[in-house]
């Protein structure tokens, strides 16, 4: 098993931004126009994974609103509290049938220690991604964003993210959004700083829309 990579922090983020800006004029343009991107850290653990699962395939605002409903109903959305709420309780709050099933099952697994989210920090990117993908309801976007935001891995890139696809379309003056496969291929040139490249692209996307 390979060793877990170091976590991104503010100094390593700043260094990677400088490297990418020197290598790619479009990244330099983002920094000149909007400044360096935020680290956007999230706390590792159950609550962040729940939020990401809720954000999957909907807008971030919709996912956050649903998370707040769960938080209000449980006091704190710990594994024990969400497990007590159960699938029916989640559905009563407006969570879809499928996501309610996934979240209720995850809560039970984390509470009874069948799933150890803390152990992900000790795994390589590949192994941590595989462990997350093995969980019901955790797709590639959710797994990659957990690695990127919660574990702060430096070389993870969620190529299917719509905001990243749109940012690349805009910056590279493409007639249409690239496919996720095409963006994944393009991102190879940004290794080993792909998570920082993603932050730059999100920074552009949000700043151009006045939402950063």
């Amino acid at each position: 098993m390979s060793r877990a990579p170091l976590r991104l922090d503010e100094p390593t983020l700043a260094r990677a931004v400088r490297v990418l800006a020197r290598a790619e004029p479009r990244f330099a343009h983002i920094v000149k126009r909007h400044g360096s991107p935020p680290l956007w850290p999230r706390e590792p653990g159950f609550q962040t994974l729940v939020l990401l699962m809720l954000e999957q395939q909907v807008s971030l605002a919709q996912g956050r609103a649903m998370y707040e409903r769960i938080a209000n109903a449980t006091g704190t959305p710990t594994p024990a509290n969400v497990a007590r709420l159960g699938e029916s309780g989640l559905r009563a709050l407006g969570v879809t049938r499928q996501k309610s099933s996934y979240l209720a099952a995850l809560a039970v697994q984390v509470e009874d220690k069948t799933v150890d989210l803390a152990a992900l920090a000790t795994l390589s990117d590949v192994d941590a991604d595989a462990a997350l993908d093995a969980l019901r309801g955790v797709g590639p976007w959710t797994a990659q964003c957990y690695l990127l935001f919660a574990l702060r891995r430096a070389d993870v890139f969620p190529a299917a993210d719509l905001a990243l696809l749109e940012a690349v379309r805009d910056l590279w003056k493409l007639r249409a959004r690239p496919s996720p496969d095409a963006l994944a291929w393009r991102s190879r040139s940004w290794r080993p700083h792909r998570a920082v490249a993603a932050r730059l692209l999100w920074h552009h996307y949000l700043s151009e829309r006045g939402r950063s």
Side-chain angles (χ1 to χ4, degrees), residues 172-195:
W172 271 259
K173 307 302 180 187
L174 305 177
R175 296 179 64 182
R177 288 176 187 164
S179 68
D181 286 344
L183 182 53
W185 182 87
R186 185 187 294 272
S187 75
R188 294 186 304 173
S189 64
W190 305 330
R191 288 175 173 167
H193 307 298
R194 288 181 298 169

Side-chain angles (χ1 to χ4, degrees), residues 120-121 123-133 143 147 151 153:
L120 295 171
L123 303 179
S124 69
D125 292 346
V126 171
D127 291 338
D129 183 75
L132 285 164
D133 278 339
L147 293 178
L151 299 186
R153 299 299 174 85

Side-chain angles (χ1 to χ4, degrees), residues 10-48:
E10 294 291 351
T12 54
L13 173 68
R15 285 196 293 272
V17 167
R18 290 194 294 270
V19 170
L20 290 168
R22 285 196 296 267
E24 171 51 65
R26 294 167 185 86
F27 290 147
H29 166 78
I30 294 170
V31 175
K32 182 177 180 180
R33 182 173 173 84
H34 303 298
S36 292
L39 185 59
W40 285 312
R42 295 189 183 188
E43 192 67 26
F46 176 76
Q47 293 177 32
T48 287

Side-chain angles (χ1 to χ4, degrees), residues 106-129:
L106 177 66
V108 171
Q109 290 174 312
V110 174
E111 178 64 14
D112 68 14
K113 304 191 186 310
T114 304
V115 170
D116 182 3
L117 296 178
L120 295 171
T122 68
L123 303 179
S124 69
D125 292 346
V126 171
D127 291 338
D129 183 75

